[in-house]
Amino acid sequence: MSPPVAPPGWSRWLVPPAALSVHLSIGQAYAWSVFKPPLESALGLSGTQSALPFQLGIVMLGLSAAFGGTLVERNGPRWAMTVALVCFSSGFLLSALGAASEQYWLIVLGYGFVGGIGLGIGYISPVSTLIKWFPDRPGMATGIAIMGFGGGALIASPWSARMLESFGADNTGIALAFLVHGLSYAVFMLLGVLLVRVPRTPGAADGSPAPLEGVQVSARSAVRTPQFWLLWIVLCMNVTAGIGILEKAAPMITDFFADTSTPVSATAAAGFVALLSAANMAGRIGWSSASDLIGRKNIYRVYLGAGALMYALIALFGDSSKPLFVLCALVILSFYGGGFATVPAYLKDLFGTYQVGAIHGRLLTAWSTAGVLGPLIVNWIADRQEEAGRHGSSLYGMSLVIMIGLLVVGFVANELVRPVHARHHVSAPAPKEAADVPRQQPESA
Amino acid sequence: MSHDSSPSPPDLPGRRPLIAFAWLWVGAPLAYGLYELVRKATQLFTG
């Protein structure tokens, strides 16, 4: 499939909704927990077993983004969105079959393996195209799309819950819910497939895509540069610090104020978790857009430096002031979201737009690593502290200090980022390779 | 930072309904998700 080049007069404001239709759909993955209790009771599964489709899905997200990125660059965004649509929707359809026939392995294979490929390819599918359409505001453009990934769970969580209430939580009801999800997401994502276009050369009669200009680095060369690995550390540390709060948000706020005159109820803790999701989403669009004005390196200084300060405030004064605790947690989560959304633009600044989607895909392995590291640190330390007889806010003291340390490591890595050496630059890619290439000015980090 | 112009020529007025439809397509479910989120988040202050 050749990349779809925009006809004359095509608006670049049609590209963000195309990207959003994909990201709002695949963001459903974070609402998988809605299906866990019904699956456990209908198919007699343990909590660990019912988490398998989600876990495999996230593993496949990382793998397909890392290994499929070059294919996405070569074949263009419409091909990638089509693959994402087919995989994500057929994952649900296979799961419907699995639930109806009480074959759980089909749900794991469908949602986890097949659907997971859709997650990874879908996640990176619009990134480079958006950057090419918005060379003046790449942070804002990718922020809109990546905000959609956060928004997907907000939509799916109540929607799926209401569907299960209507259809019933037995295996037939779950199968029907999976079927409706698969068909609905196919229709919803179709908008992206139909609308997405790559920019054409201004004034070109043949409608050819825009030519390559400025500093450009291939994905293969990028992973051999220190800049790639420094950014890998930056992303990994920032995400680990965010997940550290996100993973234990509800028990954390409850424990912090358990011994005070104003303890936090379970309902209020659920409200706190929802508020964190809002901060995460707002950070994706807000901070990423701000990076267009103050620069990528500076915004990561804020995420990592001010993030460490917020953690320090929680560690020192968190249990004495609820508003301070909530405010610091919200800022940390907004930095977490901002870190995700700003990284494609940072990659574009360093490596150009030639294969920025593929490079972004490879960088997402930092996310997978952080997804393991963050919960591991917080849970392991909290368990050890509990065994040692500690309670309340002292359960988290050590975790908070470790998070500050991780953010400082990320801050130092960000300081070490320099423009990529000229020996890694691509001089003149072949026309086929350049089919999905940009027209923009290079920026220094 | 570079601030070069958009790669696209000025939008044709004929595209505006399509732009409105596309943003409504993604905006409506997102608004529903945000509404549910705000409902849940208020529990922090009332719960």
Side-chain angles (χ1 to χ4, degrees):
Chain A
M1 191 183 281
S2 60
V5 179
W10 192 255
S11 172
R12 65 175 179 167
W13 291 103
L14 286 165
V15 185
L20 272 173
S21 74
V22 173
H23 271 242
L24 285 172
S25 301
I26 61 175
Q28 180 280 336
Y30 278 125
W32 171 255
S33 57
V34 174
F35 288 105
K36 282 177 79 237
L39 278 171
E40 286 163 22
S41 59
L43 302 179
L45 304 171
S46 68
T48 311
Q49 286 172 322
S50 67
L52 266 179
F54 170 75
Q55 286 170 334
L56 181 60
I58 295 298
V59 169
M60 290 310 297
L61 184 158
L63 290 176
S64 55
F67 294 106
T70 312
L71 276 175
V72 172
E73 291 296 341
R74 191 178 303 150
N75 296 319
R78 179 170 290 168
W79 175 87
M81 287 183 180
T82 307
V83 170
L85 184 159
V86 170
C87 290
F88 190 62
S89 298
S90 57
F92 269 115
L93 300 184
L94 278 172
S95 299
L97 194 64
S101 60
E102 300 190 31
Q103 298 292 318
Y104 185 58
W105 66 271
L106 255 178
I107 299 176
V108 177
L109 177 78
Y111 188 90
F113 187 82
V114 180
I117 295 171
L119 296 181
I121 300 296
Y123 193 92
I124 60 172
S125 64
V127 167
S128 65
T129 305
L130 281 166
I131 290 175
K132 288 162 198 166
W133 275 107
F134 291 86
D136 50 338
R137 282 181 281 182
M140 180 212 70
T142 55
I144 290 173
I146 292 171
M147 175 200 70
F149 194 77
L154 301 185
I155 299 166
S157 187
W159 184 56
S160 306
R162 290 203 177 131
M163 206 180 297
L164 286 167
E165 276 171 28
S166 311
F167 296 153
D170 59 347
N171 68 311
T172 313
I174 298 167
L176 206 52
F178 280 149
L179 182 69
V180 173
H181 277 70
L183 297 176
S184 304
Y185 280 125
V187 172
F188 193 71
M189 292 167 85
L190 196 59
L191 179 94
V193 174
L194 295 175
L195 278 187
V196 75
R197 301 280 192 282
V198 295
R200 61 193 273 125
T201 308
D206 60 352
S208 58
L212 195 69
E213 286 175 10
V215 172
Q216 305 294 339
V217 181
S218 71
R220 186 176 289 187
S221 297
V223 295
R224 295 184 182 133
T225 63
Q227 287 82 357
F228 176 87
W229 293 105
L230 287 167
L231 271 193
W232 194 97
I233 293 169
V234 165
L235 184 65
C236 186
M237 298 300 114
N238 192 52
V239 175
T240 304
I243 289 178
I245 286 264
L246 204 55
E247 167 73 9
K248 298 280 279 183
M252 203 167 168
I253 192 169
T254 310
D255 289 336
F256 257 76
F257 299 98
D259 301 330
T260 66
S261 57
T262 53
V264 176
S265 68
T267 316
F272 174 61
V273 175
L275 213 54
L276 291 182
S277 302
N280 179 7
M281 265 188 72
R284 288 172 191 238
I285 180 72
W287 292 121
S288 191
S289 300
S291 77
D292 291 332
L293 301 173
I294 68 169
R296 250 59 78 175
K297 194 165 188 167
N298 284 335
I299 203 87
Y300 274 93
R301 283 178 174 135
V302 174
Y303 298 158
L304 300 156
L309 184 69
M310 294 296 128
Y311 264 115
L313 286 174
I314 289 179
L316 294 172
F317 312 110
D319 57 352
S320 58
S321 167
K322 209 185 288 177
L324 180 75
F325 178 92
V326 172
L327 186 70
C328 290
L330 291 178
V331 173
I332 289 170
L333 258 290
S334 77
F335 289 160
Y336 165 80
F340 269 123
T342 314
V343 89
Y346 207 163
L347 291 171
K348 175 253 181 192
D349 292 353
L350 289 167
F351 303 110
T353 50
Y354 172 44
Q355 290 191 331
V356 69
I359 300 168
H360 183 221
R362 285 159 171 77
L363 196 78
L364 290 181
T365 50
W367 177 10
S368 312
T369 309
V372 177
L373 266 184
L376 200 69
I377 293 170
V378 177
N379 288 318
W380 189 83
I381 292 174
D383 290 347
R384 296 292 86 77
Q385 300 293 312
E386 210 166 349
E387 282 169 17
R390 291 177 192 273
H391 63 281
S393 59
S394 57
L395 284 171
Y396 304 96
M398 180 66 79
S399 298
L400 294 171
V401 171
I402 290 175
M403 294 300 165
I404 293 168
L406 293 176
L407 287 170
V408 170
V409 170
F411 190 91
V412 172
N414 184 48
E415 289 305 310
L416 295 174
V417 173
R418 299 281 182 274
V420 176
H421 193 278
R423 71 171 177 274
H424 296 292
H425 297 180
V426 172
S427 48
K432 171 64 183 161
E433 286 178 295
D436 191 11
V437 294
R439 187 191 74 79
Q440 42 81 71
Q441 297 293 319
E443 296 175 7
S444 62
Chain B
M1 313 253 28
S2 69
H3 287 281
D4 46 350
S5 59
S6 154
S8 61
D11 305 341
L12 294 180
R15 303 277 186 215
R16 283 176 195 157
L18 182 61
I19 295 171
F21 170 77
W23 280 98
L24 196 64
W25 182 267
V26 292
L30 188 58
Y32 162 72
L34 287 172
Y35 167 73
E36 292 287 343
L37 175 78
V38 169
R39 254 172 30 118
K40 212 180 282 179
T42 50
Q43 292 172 348
L44 174 63
F45 309 103
T46 58

